Amino acid sequence: MLRIGVIGLGNIGKVHVNNLRGGLVEGAELVAVAEQATGALDEFKDSGIACFTDATEMIQSGLVDAALIALPTFLHAPLGIQALEAGLHVMMEKPLACHKAEAERILAARQRDDQVIALMMNQRTNPCYAKLKQWLDEGAIGTLQRVSWIMTNWFRPEIYFHSSAWRATWAGDGGGVLMNQCPHNLDVLQWLVGMPERIRGYCSFGKYHDLDVEDEATAYLEYPNGVTGLFAASTGEAPGVNRLEIIGDKGTLKTDGNKAILMRCSESVAEFSKSTDEMFGMPEITEEVFEPTEAVNQHAIILTNFSKAINEGETLITPAEEGIKSLELAGAMIYSTWTDSTVELPLDSAAYEARIKQAAAESTPRTNLKTAAKVDMSKSYR
Ligand SMILES: NC(=O)c1ccc[n+]([C@@H]2O[C@H](COP(=O)([O-])OP(=O)(O)OC[C@H]3O[C@@H](n4cnc5c(N)ncnc54)[C@H](O)[C@@H]3O)[C@@H](O)[C@H]2O)c1
């Protein structure tokens, strides 16, 4: 049995704790929790689960084989590095860190080859995204031409941000919608179609909320072989849409996260275009629809995979190394806006770190926190 300690018992930490205590994570047990807000530890008294107010003590306790870091994003790097240096396996909450340079430091803290470092990019297990991945791997749409993701159904009201000092701040979260909500989408995007070579981003900072960071972003992405991409995100639209479309020479894939569609062309569009004598002709299209019938527990699946990777050598669904890529996409969109220029990838992590530190230094710390926010996590994932 893998002995897991969860660090941070906020919104998402509680979800992981409930999955572990509910027996939903195969091969793993919750043996310790660490939380600085002592009230959150009350429910663990007399449970046999060790309680720590100091996360370092838990890491050093010898009680845990693995740490799950469910802390505010700015604490991912310091505590993740501590846990890795102590030789623990680590599951990091998303995003891996506030920016690419921090993420590189986390990965460099690995002590042994068999030390497993995973990232909670749970949306890879959304059945619709997984189906798109399967279709792409099968070559169902032929050569990639274009990708477009309009991801604006991340609406968040003002209290979401103002209930904590860290969310949607440069120092605490590394940004806004691209860093808190969209890491999932940016991760799935690069998982499906790979990384672009350059990005031109247009971010709006505090357009809909009282924030210094971006709450709306639109970006043009250029991939190898002339493939083009569009990514748009917002936390200021209601209800917003989730519209992912991937276009290839032999078909189109579409999903809204609830249903996935494959529109297959009868032949290559390029070949058809050259050979047809019909002025308004088009290849014939057949449609396949995939509609999952049951909801999946995405977080429990990723945690079970983490435990099996350690216990049985199972391949990780979401290795932490992959977390650099979504940070790079978000960072490039923000950096492009700051520099009013197209950004070539890979992103210069040192230059970006210097610029984000400047943004953090220039921003006003959030005061007058509204701590009475009502929380229903089932509405958080959309
Ligand atoms: N994968 C997902 O679906 C998902 C969903 C929500 C949040 N997240 C990510 O999880 C992280 C946490 O988000 P959240 O919404 O749960 O935040 P939160 O603010 O609700 O919870 C963080 C908790 O950490 C505690 N904490 C802070 N510093 C600590 C320290 N030094 N030692 C011990 N405890 C400490 C806080 O008291 C708080 O209870 C963020 O990085 C966020 O992006 C992921």
Side-chain angles (χ1 to χ4, degrees):
M1 257 319 186
L2 179 74
R3 300 171 305 161
I4 295 192
V6 173
I7 307 180
L9 297 175
N11 289 340
I12 198 65
K14 286 182 197 143
V15 170
H16 297 311
V17 160
N18 290 339
N19 282 334
L20 283 158
R21 291 179 99 181
L24 301 175
V25 182
E26 237 177 278
E29 59 177 334
L30 181 71
V31 298
V33 286
E35 166 61 56
Q36 69 177 14
T38 46
L41 295 171
D42 289 348
E43 67 169 284
F44 296 95
K45 280 188 186 133
D46 308 320
S47 68
I49 294 164
C51 296
F52 295 87
T53 48
D54 180 342
T56 306
E57 278 179 23
M58 189 198 92
I59 288 168
Q60 303 293 344
S61 67
L63 292 175
V64 302
D65 308 308
L68 192 168
I69 313 282
L71 293 166
T73 305
F74 71 100
L75 292 172
H76 291 191
L79 271 299
I81 289 170
Q82 266 191 39
L84 287 167
E85 287 180 345
L88 301 182
H89 303 288
V90 175
M91 167 62 78
M92 302 292 300
E93 252 308 341
K94 56 71 18 193
L96 184 51
C98 283
H99 52 80
K100 185 180 169 188
E102 269 187 354
E104 288 169 337
R105 293 196 276 272
I106 294 175
L107 297 175
R110 184 196 290 276
Q111 304 293 301
R112 317 179 305 273
D113 287 349
D114 68 346
Q115 204 172 7
V116 175
I117 322 176
L119 181 63
M120 188 50 73
M121 285 300 191
N122 47 283
Q123 292 207 8
R124 287 191 188 190
T125 67
N126 173 320
C128 290
Y129 300 149
K131 187 70 186 170
L132 257 53
K133 174 78 172 153
Q134 183 203 321
W135 276 327
L136 284 164
D137 289 349
E138 289 168 2
I141 63 166
T143 316
L144 199 61
Q145 291 177 307
R146 192 168 64 77
V147 58
S148 162
W149 201 340
I150 313 291
M151 186 58 209
T152 56
N153 79 349
W154 282 124
F155 175 73
R156 291 288 185 266
E158 204 73 29
I159 195 163
Y160 172 83
F161 305 107
H162 293 273
S163 60
S164 82
W166 66 273
R167 279 198 189 92
T169 63
W170 293 117
D173 220 357
V177 62
L178 294 172
M179 286 299 296
N180 192 308
Q181 286 75 32
C182 285
H184 290 298
N185 310 104
L186 295 173
D187 175 63
V188 168
L189 180 67
Q190 68 78 23
W191 183 56
L192 294 177
V193 303
M195 287 292 281
E197 291 177 323
R198 60 191 71 81
I199 293 182
R200 180 63 173 98
Y202 300 89
C203 296
S204 301
F205 304 108
K207 182 172 180 180
Y208 299 107
H209 305 91
D210 178 17
L211 297 174
D212 295 325
V213 296
E214 81 292 350
D215 54 4
E216 184 183 85
T218 306
Y220 176 65
L221 300 90
E222 291 180 50
Y223 293 83
N225 304 318
V227 177
T228 58
L230 167 78
F231 186 82
S234 172
T235 47
E237 297 175 22
V241 297
N242 174 5
R243 193 172 289 151
L244 170 59
E245 297 173 352
I246 305 174
I247 296 92
D249 182 51
K250 285 188 175 166
T252 291
L253 299 175
K254 298 199 277 192
T255 188
D256 61 359
N258 298 311
K259 184 162 86 173
I261 300 172
L262 163 59
M263 300 172 82
R264 233 185 256 273
C265 298
S266 53
E267 60 184 287
S268 148
V269 176
E271 292 302 319
F272 179 88
S273 175
K274 282 184 208 133
S275 60
T276 186
D277 60 0
E278 282 191 58
M279 200 165 165
F280 296 105
M282 198 167 66
E284 279 174 28
I285 307 295
T286 48
E287 199 171 283
E288 243 177 81
V289 178
F290 169 78
E291 219 165 343
T293 46
E294 281 175 28
V296 297
N297 185 333
Q298 300 183 4
H299 300 98
I301 293 175
I302 294 292
L303 214 44
T304 297
N305 168 249
F306 174 64
S307 130
K308 287 190 171 178
I310 296 161
N311 294 336
E312 304 164 21
E314 187 170 283
T315 304
L316 280 179
I317 299 171
T318 54
E321 287 78 3
E322 295 267 299
I324 296 258
K325 297 179 185 173
S326 43
L327 285 177
E328 188 139 32
L329 292 173
M333 290 175 198
I334 295 168
Y335 201 55
S336 169
T337 309
W338 277 336
T339 56
D340 197 12
S341 66
T342 297
V343 172
E344 300 284 332
L345 298 186
L347 184 67
D348 179 336
S349 53
Y352 187 73
E353 180 171 26
R355 186 59 185 80
I356 198 172
K357 279 186 172 163
Q358 182 193 331
E362 286 167 358
S363 62
T364 331
R366 192 173 288 151
T367 50
N368 296 327
L369 290 183
K370 297 175 182 143
T371 48
K374 292 180 193 147
V375 180
D376 176 354
M377 278 304 277
S378 68
K379 293 181 180 167
S380 115
Y381 311 116
R382 296 185 205 278

